[in-house]
Amino acid sequence: GILAELRRRVSEGDPLPAGGQAFVEFGGLQWWETRFRAAWRTNMHYVTPAEDEAMEDYLKALGHGGFDEVLEGIGRTFQLDGLMCYYMSFIAVTHC
């Protein structure tokens, strides 16, 4: 899945070109993969949902893993009425 894709990109010798982008499919859902531009001198790649269905699936998985409790704790600690997750992604890098 996603972890195998990122491993392939950053540690198994098959990176996207600097600034490169690609759409990939995981579990029948579209995700967007990119590598930061060359000026950063990094092999950092990230994968983020490319469609609403992929984002919903991602948020469900986080919910099943207890991420809602993490957000609740952050909100309580900082006395916030609400939080929003913006631009959810998986990031992998081995050098920068």
XYZ file of all heavy atoms in Angstrom:
764
model
N 0.807 -1.183 0.000
C 0.000 0.000 0.000
C 0.858 1.258 0.000
O 1.894 1.356 -0.660
N 0.418 2.216 0.766
C 1.059 3.526 0.812
C 2.484 3.433 1.355
O 3.407 4.018 0.791
C 0.217 4.513 1.644
C -1.094 4.813 0.908
C 0.987 5.804 1.916
C -2.102 5.595 1.713
N 2.685 2.676 2.429
C 4.029 2.572 2.994
C 5.000 1.905 2.027
O 6.149 2.328 1.895
C 3.994 1.836 4.329
C 3.249 2.576 5.445
C 3.238 1.736 6.713
C 3.848 3.935 5.710
N 4.538 0.873 1.333
C 5.391 0.211 0.341
C 5.744 1.171 -0.793
O 6.887 1.190 -1.274
C 4.698 -1.030 -0.207
N 4.801 1.993 -1.205
C 5.043 2.977 -2.264
C 6.093 3.998 -1.823
O 7.034 4.307 -2.553
C 3.746 3.689 -2.649
C 3.891 4.797 -3.659
C 4.266 4.315 -5.061
O 4.234 3.092 -5.338
O 4.607 5.169 -5.882
N 5.955 4.523 -0.605
C 6.917 5.499 -0.118
C 8.301 4.871 0.084
O 9.314 5.494 -0.208
C 6.407 6.143 1.178
C 5.233 7.094 0.982
C 4.657 7.516 2.326
C 5.623 8.312 0.160
N 8.337 3.654 0.567
C 9.615 2.955 0.722
C 10.307 2.805 -0.640
O 11.506 3.033 -0.776
C 9.397 1.592 1.363
C 10.693 0.868 1.711
C 10.449 -0.475 2.399
N 9.680 -0.321 3.620
C 8.452 -0.809 3.812
N 7.838 -1.491 2.868
N 7.830 -0.628 4.949
N 9.528 2.439 -1.648
C 10.061 2.293 -3.004
C 10.655 3.612 -3.495
O 11.721 3.650 -4.111
C 8.945 1.823 -3.941
C 9.348 1.650 -5.390
C 8.192 1.049 -6.201
N 7.129 1.991 -6.465
C 7.082 2.782 -7.537
N 8.037 2.743 -8.437
N 6.071 3.597 -7.713
N 9.992 4.703 -3.183
C 10.420 6.016 -3.667
C 11.661 6.545 -2.955
O 12.547 7.101 -3.585
C 9.291 7.038 -3.522
C 8.091 6.783 -4.395
C 8.439 6.855 -5.842
N 7.224 6.843 -6.670
C 7.252 6.730 -7.969
N 8.405 6.612 -8.609
N 6.141 6.721 -8.660
N 11.743 6.389 -1.626
C 12.835 7.040 -0.889
C 13.995 6.118 -0.524
O 15.077 6.603 -0.218
C 12.335 7.777 0.377
C 11.330 8.850 0.025
C 11.786 6.816 1.400
N 13.808 4.808 -0.528
C 14.922 3.958 -0.104
C 15.229 2.785 -1.017
O 16.198 2.074 -0.781
C 14.687 3.451 1.324
O 13.538 2.651 1.396
N 14.451 2.592 -2.064
C 14.711 1.474 -2.964
C 15.084 1.915 -4.368
O 15.007 1.146 -5.308
C 13.503 0.534 -2.987
C 13.257 -0.143 -1.637
C 12.034 -1.029 -1.617
O 11.331 -1.148 -2.642
O 11.774 -1.599 -0.545
N 15.477 3.172 -4.519
C 16.037 3.637 -5.780
C 15.069 3.929 -6.911
O 15.459 3.897 -8.068
N 13.821 4.250 -6.596
C 12.864 4.585 -7.652
C 12.124 5.887 -7.329
O 10.898 5.915 -7.271
C 11.877 3.441 -7.845
C 11.010 3.619 -9.093
O 11.420 4.370 -9.995
O 9.926 3.021 -9.136
N 12.866 6.983 -7.097
C 12.198 8.237 -6.755
C 11.534 8.894 -7.954
O 11.930 8.656 -9.098
C 13.340 9.115 -6.245
C 14.514 8.630 -7.015
C 14.317 7.131 -7.163
N 10.555 9.724 -7.678
C 10.030 10.622 -8.698
C 11.113 11.652 -8.975
O 11.948 11.930 -8.114
C 8.773 11.338 -8.199
C 7.502 10.520 -8.054
C 6.439 11.333 -7.320
C 6.995 10.073 -9.401
N 11.111 12.278 -10.157
C 12.051 13.381 -10.378
C 11.708 14.543 -9.444
O 10.552 14.676 -9.012
C 11.830 13.752 -11.844
C 10.519 13.176 -12.216
C 10.259 12.017 -11.303
N 12.679 15.380 -9.117
C 12.418 16.534 -8.253
C 11.252 17.341 -8.815
O 11.231 17.664 -9.996
C 13.661 17.391 -8.132
N 10.278 17.628 -7.984
C 9.088 18.346 -8.414
C 8.076 17.459 -9.130
O 7.018 17.934 -9.541
N 8.378 16.167 -9.258
C 7.490 15.243 -9.967
C 6.220 14.926 -9.203
O 6.172 15.019 -7.978
N 5.192 14.559 -9.955
C 3.892 14.232 -9.381
C 3.316 13.018 -10.101
O 3.608 12.798 -11.273
C 2.924 15.395 -9.553
C 3.402 16.678 -8.958
C 2.502 17.844 -9.319
O 1.454 17.699 -9.934
N 2.907 19.030 -8.926
N 2.505 12.267 -9.377
C 1.835 11.114 -9.987
C 0.561 10.811 -9.208
O 0.488 11.046 -8.009
C 2.753 9.888 -9.962
N -0.429 10.300 -9.917
C -1.609 9.778 -9.247
C -1.413 8.287 -9.072
O -0.946 7.602 -9.994
C -2.881 10.062 -10.055
C -3.331 11.482 -9.954
C -3.002 12.396 -10.941
C -4.057 11.914 -8.863
C -3.398 13.722 -10.850
C -4.465 13.236 -8.755
C -4.131 14.142 -9.752
N -1.723 7.786 -7.874
C -1.598 6.363 -7.580
C -2.911 5.884 -6.969
O -3.681 6.677 -6.426
C -0.414 6.073 -6.635
C 0.909 6.307 -7.331
C -0.484 6.910 -5.375
N -3.159 4.597 -7.077
C -4.404 4.032 -6.558
C -4.089 3.046 -5.442
O -3.223 2.187 -5.580
C -5.153 3.318 -7.675
C -6.533 2.858 -7.262
C -7.316 2.286 -8.417
O -7.519 3.009 -9.413
O -7.702 1.105 -8.318
N -4.783 3.201 -4.325
C -4.689 2.284 -3.198
C -6.104 1.903 -2.790
O -6.917 2.781 -2.510
C -3.976 2.932 -2.008
C -2.585 3.398 -2.312
C -2.289 4.738 -2.384
C -1.563 2.486 -2.523
C -1.014 5.176 -2.661
C -0.275 2.909 -2.813
C -0.003 4.258 -2.876
N -6.388 0.613 -2.785
C -7.713 0.157 -2.380
C -8.833 0.714 -3.233
O -9.925 0.956 -2.736
N -8.554 0.967 -4.502
C -9.567 1.506 -5.405
C -9.782 3.004 -5.263
O -10.686 3.556 -5.892
N -8.958 3.677 -4.465
C -9.096 5.118 -4.240
C -7.879 5.847 -4.800
O -6.761 5.341 -4.756
C -9.245 5.411 -2.742
C -10.435 4.736 -2.063
C -10.380 4.935 -0.559
C -11.749 5.253 -2.626
N -8.114 7.050 -5.308
C -7.049 7.843 -5.920
C -6.311 8.683 -4.876
O -6.923 9.372 -4.063
C -7.627 8.777 -6.993
C -8.109 8.067 -8.223
C -6.936 7.504 -9.006
O -5.969 8.184 -9.305
N -7.041 6.226 -9.348
N -4.982 8.613 -4.942
C -4.105 9.403 -4.095
C -3.141 10.160 -4.993
O -2.880 9.749 -6.114
C -3.332 8.490 -3.137
C -4.217 7.844 -2.114
C -5.141 6.861 -2.328
C -4.275 8.146 -0.734
N -5.763 6.535 -1.162
C -5.246 7.307 -0.158
C -3.585 9.043 0.084
C -5.552 7.341 1.193
C -3.889 9.069 1.436
C -4.863 8.232 1.974
N -2.599 11.260 -4.488
C -1.671 12.089 -5.232
C -0.311 12.000 -4.553
O -0.193 12.170 -3.331
C -2.179 13.521 -5.241
C -1.339 14.497 -5.973
C -1.070 14.497 -7.318
C -0.682 15.635 -5.439
N -0.275 15.572 -7.636
C -0.027 16.284 -6.497
C -0.589 16.172 -4.167
C 0.717 17.440 -6.323
C 0.150 17.325 -3.990
C 0.786 17.946 -5.056
N 0.709 11.723 -5.342
C 2.066 11.562 -4.829
C 2.953 12.637 -5.455
O 2.845 12.919 -6.639
C 2.553 10.170 -5.226
C 3.938 9.843 -4.821
C 4.318 8.426 -5.226
O 3.732 7.878 -6.194
O 5.202 7.889 -4.578
N 3.832 13.231 -4.658
C 4.733 14.249 -5.186
C 6.072 14.207 -4.468
O 6.183 13.688 -3.366
C 4.116 15.659 -5.096
O 4.869 16.560 -5.892
C 4.024 16.161 -3.685
N 7.066 14.739 -5.124
C 8.388 14.917 -4.530
C 8.691 16.402 -4.567
O 8.427 17.083 -5.562
C 9.450 14.161 -5.329
C 10.838 14.347 -4.758
C 11.864 13.576 -5.546
N 13.199 13.830 -4.994
C 14.302 13.443 -5.592
N 14.247 12.806 -6.751
N 15.460 13.701 -5.033
N 9.249 16.906 -3.487
C 9.571 18.325 -3.434
C 10.601 18.689 -4.492
O 11.392 17.858 -4.921
C 10.072 18.719 -2.038
C 8.958 18.804 -1.039
C 8.640 17.722 -0.250
C 8.216 19.965 -0.925
C 7.603 17.795 0.662
C 7.177 20.051 -0.020
C 6.868 18.959 0.772
N 10.588 19.938 -4.891
C 11.465 20.405 -5.967
C 12.937 20.326 -5.563
O 13.281 20.276 -4.400
C 11.081 21.822 -6.362
C 11.296 22.840 -5.293
C 10.728 24.202 -5.719
N 10.994 25.184 -4.701
C 10.227 25.396 -3.652
N 9.142 24.689 -3.475
N 10.534 26.327 -2.764
N 13.804 20.367 -6.539
C 15.243 20.159 -6.359
C 15.903 21.191 -5.450
O 16.900 20.901 -4.808
C 15.927 20.134 -7.716
N 15.386 22.406 -5.395
C 16.014 23.458 -4.597
C 16.136 23.049 -3.124
O 16.973 23.571 -2.406
C 15.214 24.752 -4.721
N 15.316 22.105 -2.699
C 15.333 21.681 -1.296
C 16.379 20.607 -1.035
O 16.652 20.268 0.092
C 13.962 21.191 -0.894
C 12.961 22.280 -0.747
C 12.884 23.422 -1.485
C 11.913 22.341 0.192
N 11.831 24.185 -1.069
C 11.207 23.543 -0.036
C 11.476 21.502 1.191
C 10.125 23.921 0.712
C 10.379 21.881 1.937
C 9.715 23.083 1.700
N 16.947 19.988 -2.060
C 17.964 18.936 -1.932
C 17.526 17.839 -0.960
O 18.241 17.497 -0.022
C 19.301 19.513 -1.518
C 19.851 20.434 -2.574
C 21.214 20.897 -2.253
N 21.639 21.824 -3.303
C 22.788 22.378 -3.358
N 23.678 22.130 -2.447
N 23.085 23.200 -4.340
N 16.374 17.321 -1.205
C 15.819 16.271 -0.359
C 15.160 15.217 -1.234
O 14.787 15.494 -2.368
C 14.785 16.848 0.635
O 14.260 15.790 1.433
C 13.640 17.554 -0.078
N 15.009 14.036 -0.702
C 14.251 13.009 -1.410
C 12.843 12.875 -0.829
O 12.177 11.876 -1.028
C 14.987 11.664 -1.385
C 15.004 11.022 -0.012
O 14.735 11.663 1.001
N 15.339 9.753 0.033
N 12.391 13.886 -0.114
C 11.083 13.843 0.526
C 9.965 13.658 -0.502
O 9.863 14.391 -1.471
C 10.823 15.117 1.319
C 9.507 15.088 2.083
S 9.152 16.644 2.945
C 10.535 16.782 4.033
N 9.138 12.656 -0.255
C 7.933 12.380 -1.050
C 6.739 12.407 -0.102
O 6.881 12.072 1.077
C 7.988 10.983 -1.668
C 8.909 10.843 -2.823
N 10.275 10.955 -2.707
C 8.659 10.573 -4.127
C 10.829 10.760 -3.889
N 9.881 10.520 -4.775
N 5.606 12.791 -0.608
C 4.398 12.644 0.199
C 3.254 12.150 -0.656
O 3.222 12.300 -1.872
C 4.041 13.921 0.961
C 3.645 15.107 0.132
C 2.312 15.336 -0.196
C 4.595 16.030 -0.291
C 1.950 16.440 -0.933
C 4.234 17.138 -1.030
C 2.913 17.338 -1.334
O 2.555 18.434 -2.067
N 2.319 11.498 0.031
C 1.127 10.947 -0.600
C -0.071 11.493 0.173
O -0.116 11.419 1.402
C 1.136 9.399 -0.556
C -0.148 8.836 -1.126
C 2.336 8.844 -1.295
N -1.020 12.052 -0.563
C -2.199 12.654 0.059
C -3.447 12.251 -0.735
O -3.352 11.963 -1.926
C -2.034 14.188 0.121
O -3.033 14.747 0.955
C -2.102 14.810 -1.253
N -4.611 12.204 -0.090
C -5.819 11.846 -0.829
C -6.059 12.781 -2.012
O -5.897 13.988 -1.891
C -6.934 11.997 0.210
C -6.251 11.843 1.531
C -4.884 12.439 1.333
N -6.460 12.197 -3.137
C -6.724 12.985 -4.345
C -8.212 13.101 -4.637
O -8.593 13.726 -5.623
C -6.010 12.359 -5.541
N -9.031 12.504 -3.803
C -10.485 12.567 -4.009
C -11.172 12.479 -2.651
O -10.579 12.025 -1.666
C -10.945 11.436 -4.926
C -10.660 10.048 -4.385
C -11.055 8.928 -5.342
O -11.589 9.224 -6.415
O -10.837 7.772 -4.991
N -12.415 12.928 -2.595
C -13.162 12.944 -1.335
C -13.273 11.557 -0.703
O -13.160 11.416 0.513
C -14.569 13.512 -1.553
C -14.557 15.010 -1.836
O -13.544 15.666 -1.506
O -15.556 15.519 -2.375
N -13.474 10.533 -1.521
C -13.626 9.186 -0.985
C -12.350 8.717 -0.288
O -12.398 8.067 0.754
C -14.018 8.192 -2.082
C -15.411 8.413 -2.648
C -15.463 9.478 -3.745
O -14.396 10.047 -4.105
O -16.562 9.765 -4.239
N -11.195 9.050 -0.848
C -9.924 8.684 -0.224
C -9.740 9.440 1.091
O -9.266 8.865 2.083
C -8.763 8.971 -1.170
N -10.125 10.711 1.124
C -10.019 11.496 2.355
C -10.933 10.922 3.439
O -10.524 10.793 4.596
C -10.356 12.954 2.080
C -10.244 13.821 3.311
S -8.585 13.813 3.975
C -8.377 15.497 4.374
N -12.146 10.578 3.075
C -13.084 9.984 4.047
C -12.541 8.666 4.590
O -12.627 8.384 5.787
C -14.460 9.780 3.415
C -15.229 11.062 3.182
C -15.535 11.811 4.462
O -15.883 11.174 5.483
O -15.398 13.048 4.453
N -11.960 7.850 3.716
C -11.387 6.580 4.130
C -10.223 6.810 5.092
O -10.076 6.115 6.096
C -10.944 5.799 2.891
C -10.598 4.369 3.201
O -11.473 3.632 3.705
O -9.438 3.975 2.944
N -9.401 7.777 4.785
C -8.258 8.134 5.629
C -8.741 8.584 7.013
O -8.243 8.133 8.047
C -7.487 9.240 4.928
C -6.145 9.627 5.512
C -5.576 8.995 6.609
C -5.431 10.665 4.941
C -4.341 9.368 7.100
C -4.189 11.042 5.420
C -3.659 10.394 6.505
O -2.441 10.775 6.984
N -9.723 9.477 7.052
C -10.246 9.959 8.329
C -10.898 8.840 9.137
O -10.756 8.787 10.369
C -11.232 11.110 8.095
C -10.606 12.399 7.565
C -11.696 13.403 7.219
C -9.614 12.985 8.563
N -11.586 7.919 8.467
C -12.165 6.759 9.160
C -11.082 5.919 9.807
O -11.216 5.478 10.948
C -12.964 5.889 8.184
C -14.416 6.220 8.094
C -15.114 5.121 7.315
C -15.954 5.785 6.265
N -16.620 4.863 5.378
N -10.000 5.668 9.072
C -8.893 4.875 9.611
C -8.283 5.565 10.834
O -7.975 4.903 11.840
C -7.834 4.649 8.541
N -8.117 6.878 10.770
C -7.595 7.611 11.923
C -8.549 7.508 13.105
O -8.118 7.346 14.253
C -7.354 9.075 11.558
C -6.194 9.348 10.609
C -6.180 10.817 10.205
C -4.871 8.948 11.225
N -9.844 7.604 12.835
C -10.844 7.469 13.889
C -10.805 6.100 14.546
O -10.847 5.987 15.778
N -10.689 5.057 13.744
C -10.593 3.690 14.287
C -9.329 3.517 15.133
O -9.303 2.708 16.047
C -10.608 2.656 13.168
C -11.923 2.512 12.494
N -13.082 2.146 13.152
C -12.281 2.696 11.202
C -14.083 2.110 12.308
N -13.631 2.450 11.109
N -8.291 4.290 14.820
C -7.033 4.213 15.564
C -6.989 5.100 16.799
O -5.981 5.153 17.490
N -8.073 5.835 17.080
C -8.135 6.666 18.272
C -7.640 8.093 18.084
O -7.427 8.815 19.054
N -7.488 8.533 16.829
C -6.988 9.885 16.583
C -7.937 10.946 17.142
O -7.491 12.022 17.541
C -6.758 10.103 15.087
C -5.988 11.350 14.763
C -4.675 11.495 15.160
C -6.571 12.372 14.037
C -3.951 12.644 14.860
C -5.859 13.522 13.728
C -4.547 13.665 14.135
N -9.219 10.635 17.219
C -10.169 11.581 17.794
C -9.827 11.884 19.255
O -9.986 13.006 19.718
C -11.604 11.080 17.654
C -11.811 9.691 18.226
O -10.844 8.894 18.280
O -12.943 9.386 18.613
N -9.302 10.903 19.966
C -8.893 11.113 21.363
C -7.670 12.034 21.433
O -7.539 12.837 22.359
C -8.603 9.785 22.033
C -9.855 8.921 22.177
C -9.553 7.551 22.736
O -8.557 7.409 23.491
O -10.311 6.625 22.426
N -6.769 11.908 20.478
C -5.605 12.798 20.413
C -6.079 14.236 20.206
O -5.642 15.161 20.908
C -4.649 12.370 19.275
C -3.555 13.401 19.080
C -4.070 10.994 19.546
N -6.976 14.424 19.253
C -7.494 15.772 18.994
C -8.245 16.319 20.205
O -8.110 17.510 20.535
C -8.405 15.760 17.760
C -7.720 15.432 16.439
C -8.754 15.376 15.321
C -6.627 16.417 16.118
N -9.015 15.474 20.858
C -9.746 15.895 22.055
C -8.765 16.366 23.138
O -8.970 17.396 23.772
C -10.604 14.756 22.589
C -11.428 15.094 23.808
C -12.521 16.108 23.545
O -13.067 16.105 22.431
O -12.820 16.903 24.451
N -7.677 15.626 23.328
C -6.664 16.000 24.317
C -5.986 17.317 23.980
O -5.739 18.150 24.862
N -5.675 17.523 22.721
C -5.056 18.790 22.296
C -6.025 19.943 22.545
O -5.644 20.977 23.091
C -4.646 18.735 20.812
C -3.489 17.750 20.621
C -4.268 20.125 20.295
C -3.180 17.431 19.167
N -7.262 19.755 22.152
C -8.265 20.799 22.346
C -8.471 21.136 23.816
O -8.559 22.314 24.185
N -8.522 20.111 24.649
C -8.714 20.329 26.086
C -7.500 21.069 26.670
O -7.651 22.028 27.422
C -8.926 18.983 26.773
C -9.377 19.050 28.194
C -9.783 17.700 28.812
N -8.968 16.567 28.383
C -9.361 15.625 27.520
N -10.563 15.682 26.989
N -8.564 14.623 27.196
N -6.294 20.640 26.311
C -5.069 21.245 26.840
C -4.978 22.726 26.481
O -4.594 23.550 27.314
C -3.827 20.503 26.302
O -3.875 19.149 26.768
C -2.537 21.152 26.757
N -5.328 23.057 25.251
C -5.222 24.448 24.794
C -6.550 25.206 24.871
O -6.659 26.311 24.350
C -4.663 24.483 23.367
C -3.233 24.039 23.295
C -2.912 22.776 22.839
C -2.209 24.874 23.726
C -1.589 22.345 22.782
C -0.886 24.453 23.677
C -0.578 23.184 23.205
N -7.542 24.603 25.510
C -8.862 25.209 25.710
C -9.464 25.702 24.398
O -9.921 26.835 24.269
C -8.774 26.346 26.732
C -8.278 25.882 28.079
C -8.095 27.000 29.067
O -8.087 28.184 28.713
N -7.944 26.641 30.331
N -9.469 24.802 23.407
C -10.015 25.115 22.095
C -11.428 24.562 21.963
O -11.725 23.497 22.478
C -9.120 24.519 20.997
C -7.657 24.966 21.013
C -6.858 24.158 20.006
C -7.552 26.452 20.720
N -12.268 25.261 21.234
C -13.635 24.797 20.966
C -13.676 23.813 19.808
O -14.615 23.039 19.692
C -14.556 25.981 20.650
C -14.765 26.895 21.844
O -14.733 26.402 22.985
O -14.940 28.105 21.625
N -12.692 23.858 18.929
C -12.682 22.961 17.783
C -11.304 22.928 17.133
O -10.487 23.809 17.339
N -11.073 21.874 16.382
C -9.830 21.699 15.624
C -10.187 21.237 14.231
O -11.236 20.631 14.016
C -8.943 20.631 16.267
C -8.291 20.952 17.593
C -7.634 19.701 18.171
C -7.250 22.031 17.407
N -9.281 21.491 13.292
C -9.494 21.020 11.936
C -8.195 20.401 11.434
O -7.107 20.937 11.676
C -9.880 22.184 11.030
C -10.169 21.769 9.608
S -10.689 23.142 8.578
C -9.138 23.753 8.012
N -8.301 19.272 10.782
C -7.136 18.659 10.140
C -7.106 19.168 8.709
O -8.071 19.015 7.966
C -7.264 17.141 10.134
S -7.179 16.438 11.770
N -5.994 19.766 8.342
C -5.859 20.354 7.020
C -4.701 19.690 6.295
O -3.614 19.553 6.838
C -5.621 21.859 7.147
C -5.440 22.559 5.838
C -6.535 22.811 5.017
C -4.193 22.953 5.405
C -6.376 23.448 3.798
C -4.017 23.589 4.192
C -5.123 23.832 3.393
O -4.955 24.456 2.197
N -4.937 19.276 5.087
C -3.938 18.671 4.217
C -3.288 17.452 4.856
O -2.104 17.433 5.170
C -2.887 19.695 3.796
C -2.253 19.327 2.481
C -2.954 19.515 1.301
C -1.007 18.766 2.428
C -2.392 19.162 0.087
C -0.428 18.405 1.205
C -1.138 18.600 0.047
O -0.597 18.258 -1.146
N -4.083 16.449 5.050
C -3.618 15.193 5.632
C -2.774 14.441 4.607
O -3.169 14.304 3.456
C -4.821 14.345 6.026
C -5.818 15.042 6.930
S -5.233 15.194 8.605
C -5.277 13.513 9.110
N -1.596 13.964 5.026
C -0.738 13.239 4.092
C 0.206 12.319 4.847
O 0.354 12.412 6.063
C 0.060 14.217 3.233
O 0.911 15.001 4.035
N 0.838 11.440 4.094
C 1.925 10.609 4.586
C 3.196 11.171 3.968
O 3.243 11.431 2.763
C 1.753 9.155 4.124
C 0.564 8.468 4.728
C -0.651 8.426 4.041
C 0.656 7.848 5.955
C -1.739 7.778 4.586
C -0.437 7.197 6.509
C -1.632 7.158 5.822
N 4.238 11.341 4.775
C 5.496 11.891 4.276
C 6.620 10.913 4.586
O 6.666 10.339 5.671
C 5.801 13.249 4.931
C 4.716 14.270 4.583
C 7.181 13.757 4.538
C 4.868 15.602 5.280
N 7.534 10.755 3.636
C 8.718 9.921 3.840
C 9.936 10.662 3.334
O 9.888 11.326 2.291
C 8.565 8.591 3.099
N 11.045 10.562 4.076
C 12.294 11.213 3.680
C 13.446 10.451 4.341
O 13.327 10.004 5.469
C 12.295 12.706 4.088
C 12.191 12.888 5.583
C 13.497 13.426 3.555
N 14.545 10.291 3.608
C 15.731 9.694 4.199
C 16.894 10.667 4.239
O 17.864 10.428 4.936
C 16.174 8.415 3.444
O 16.447 8.736 2.086
C 15.113 7.341 3.535
N 16.805 11.769 3.485
C 17.829 12.822 3.598
C 17.270 14.150 3.127
O 16.343 14.208 2.341
C 19.093 12.464 2.807
C 18.912 12.524 1.314
N 18.485 11.463 0.581
C 19.099 13.545 0.435
C 18.414 11.794 -0.702
N 18.776 13.061 -0.808
N 17.855 15.219 3.706
C 17.464 16.566 3.307
C 18.598 17.528 3.540
O 19.603 17.185 4.085
C 16.212 17.022 4.034
S 16.313 17.026 5.805
